[in-house]
Amino acid sequence: MISPGCEYAGFESEESITGEKLAHFPEEYSKEITKPTVIVLDNASIHRKGIVAKEKKKWEEKGLYIDS
């Protein structure tokens, strides 16, 4: 991710990205934010289904919104 201030926040992996690995990032990131924040993802099925979809509500309660 790139913030409006051009700061990078993200992760890299040489392994295949699973829903669990993907969901770990917003979970940890939601602990760091201090104001409402939106993450915009492409429309990949991994972004819309499974654990990511289940956790969206919890992240929104912390002020982190996932848009895909």
Side-chain angles (χ1 to χ4, degrees):
M1 297 184 327
I2 305 295
S3 74
C6 294
E7 298 166 336
Y8 172 78
F11 68 95
E12 298 175 15
S13 177
E14 292 185 15
E15 301 172 6
S16 296
I17 300 298
T18 64
E20 289 76 20
K21 287 179 186 174
L22 178 64
H24 180 75
F25 177 76
E27 179 63 31
E28 293 303 309
Y29 193 67
S30 71
K31 297 173 184 176
E32 300 174 18
I33 60 173
T34 58
K35 59 184 177 181
T37 303
V38 177
I39 296 176
V40 179
L41 303 172
D42 63 18
N43 205 22
S45 62
I46 194 171
H47 298 154
R48 295 179 281 112
K49 299 178 181 177
I51 191 167
V52 175
K54 286 189 230 177
E55 298 295 312
K56 271 178 89 170
K57 206 173 258 310
K58 181 173 75 171
W59 298 328
E60 288 175 359
E61 292 170 1
K62 296 177 180 183
L64 182 62
Y65 301 87
I66 307 294
D67 187 21
S68 55

